[in-house]
Amino acid sequence: MRFARASKIALGAAVAAAVVAACSVPGDDAAGSNKTVTDGPVKIGFSQATQQSPFYVALTDAAEAEAQAQGDEFFHADANGDVTKQNNDVQDLITRGVNVLVINPVDPKGITPSLAAAQAAGVKVITVDRPVDKGAASFVGRDNKAMGELVGKAAADALGPTGGKIIQIQGDAGGAVARDRREGFLAGVSAQPGITVVDGPYCDYTRSKAVTAMQDLLQANPDLKAVYAQNDDMALGALQVLTENHRADVKVFGVDGLMEAVRAIASGDQYIATALNDPNAEGRLAIQTAVKVARGESVPEFVDAGTNLVNKSNAQSLQGESTFAAGE
């Protein structure tokens, strides 16, 4: 309890410091111009929410590779799912003298101190994968509702008019990505009134947690017809449990285009569909957008990295050696 209290006090101090610093500059435009790079390498600070998922590992690696390819400097910090650590990481990146920040927020509301500190220091912020309500020059990512809806429509087609029960394994509690993928999926399956979607537990996009959850879900729901997981890693965990229990009759749906899932779609009849969410393209776009912002160029508020449905018709052509399938 003493540690938690100390963390809150430190966080409050960081906010206060950011506010005081913000009052000492003549204005947002003037502050932003202090860090504008007209020529030469750009110093990019990248604050990643976590590295506990193949998606985020690939996203970080792609961002670093793009920065290096352009001759820019790249500083990386892993928040390990802790928003307090992320706020401290961002403060450290600012201290290193970065020209621009790329942040994948652990909690879009919880990084308010980071956004305030960046504004006070005249450092523009790009968010990637998860947006914030305000305080960022641009968001680079995808429409997660659209991805969920693509997969939901595929599930409705696969189950047909008879419908049935679908168990939904969710990502992170309170997360915007989980919320949007849930809402999109529900919209997609709504065309089939015979479908019932039952919310399963939050498994933090982690396969091992999904395996544990699916063991209980299968026992409690022997009549289920399908599983929808909000990422492919969790979907593959569910598929493992279904296979071990000889439940080949239960269809599986995911999101992200993880290559292991794409291969399962191409080679079998149980994993039905996923939606492309290539972290490599997203990481490259994030760095390209950040460099433009650091050089004072205008960028859209939302840079869409694009998506598409992966099913039996195209899975074979999307197979490759990368961890995630690239966009068509």
Side-chain angles (χ1 to χ4, degrees):
M1 292 298 293
R2 290 179 180 175
F3 176 79
R5 179 178 175 83
S7 296
K8 291 179 180 178
I9 292 172
L11 192 58
V15 175
V19 171
V20 170
C23 293
S24 68
V25 297
D28 291 347
D29 291 338
S33 65
N34 292 339
K35 291 294 182 178
T36 300
V37 181
T38 57
D39 194 15
V42 175
K43 292 183 178 181
I44 303 166
F46 187 97
S47 173
Q48 179 61 281
T50 179
Q51 291 285 86
Q52 299 302 310
S53 164
F55 180 88
Y56 294 126
V57 172
L59 178 63
T60 303
D61 289 347
E64 183 172 14
E66 180 67 16
Q68 291 176 347
Q70 295 190 94
D72 297 315
E73 295 184 62
F74 185 87
F75 302 93
H76 165 242
D78 172 18
N80 199 28
D82 184 339
V83 71
T84 301
K85 182 179 185 304
Q86 185 161 49
N87 283 314
N88 291 334
D89 287 344
V90 170
Q91 290 282 352
D92 180 63
L93 290 169
I94 291 171
T95 302
R96 286 170 174 255
V98 298
N99 304 116
V100 63
L101 282 162
V102 178
I103 303 177
N104 182 13
V106 171
D107 176 357
K109 295 186 183 299
I111 65 159
T112 299
S114 292
L115 299 174
Q119 182 183 22
V123 178
K124 298 295 185 182
V125 174
I126 303 299
T127 55
V128 62
D129 195 54
R130 303 172 186 176
V132 293
D133 289 336
K134 58 182 179 179
S138 182
F139 164 57
V140 179
R142 292 179 171 88
D143 186 335
N144 284 285
K145 284 185 180 179
M147 287 192 287
E149 188 168 0
L150 278 174
V151 177
K153 288 179 178 177
D157 290 342
L159 294 185
T162 56
K165 181 189 291 184
I166 300 176
I167 296 291
Q168 178 176 209
I169 300 178
Q170 303 181 86
D172 55 335
V177 172
R179 180 198 65 219
D180 289 349
R181 290 185 181 183
R182 178 183 185 276
E183 291 179 2
F185 185 79
L186 292 176
V189 299
S190 64
Q192 296 290 5
I195 289 177
T196 301
V197 180
V198 178
D199 285 343
Y202 293 98
C203 293
D204 299 317
Y205 303 105
T206 304
R207 187 179 309 201
S208 60
K209 291 183 179 180
V211 167
T212 301
M214 192 64 213
Q215 290 168 345
D216 295 333
L217 291 168
L218 188 57
Q219 289 186 1
N221 301 275
D223 58 336
L224 84 165
K225 297 297 182 183
V227 175
Y228 165 59
Q230 290 176 351
N231 80 338
D232 286 322
D233 212 36
M234 296 190 297
L236 287 162
L239 179 62
Q240 175 186 324
V241 174
L242 292 169
T243 301
E244 291 169 352
N245 286 272
H246 310 290
R247 290 298 305 270
D249 59 304
V250 179
K251 302 181 187 305
V252 177
F253 302 86
V255 180
D256 278 350
L258 188 65
M259 190 58 69
E260 189 178 349
V262 173
R263 292 194 180 104
I265 294 169
S267 62
D269 297 315
Q270 188 166 10
Y271 206 125
I272 306 300
T274 184
L276 290 174
N277 188 28
D278 179 12
N280 299 295
E282 191 168 284
R284 291 192 296 269
L285 274 174
I287 296 302
Q288 291 164 9
T289 304
V291 169
K292 288 179 181 178
V293 167
R295 296 197 186 283
E297 300 178 30
S298 61
V299 297
E301 291 184 3
F302 173 43
V303 179
D304 190 354
T307 188
N308 205 348
L309 185 71
V310 181
N311 57 20
K312 200 73 168 179
S313 69
N314 62 356
Q316 187 73 37
S317 65
L318 290 169
Q319 291 185 88
E321 297 304 316
S322 59
T323 305
F324 288 82
E328 293 180 294

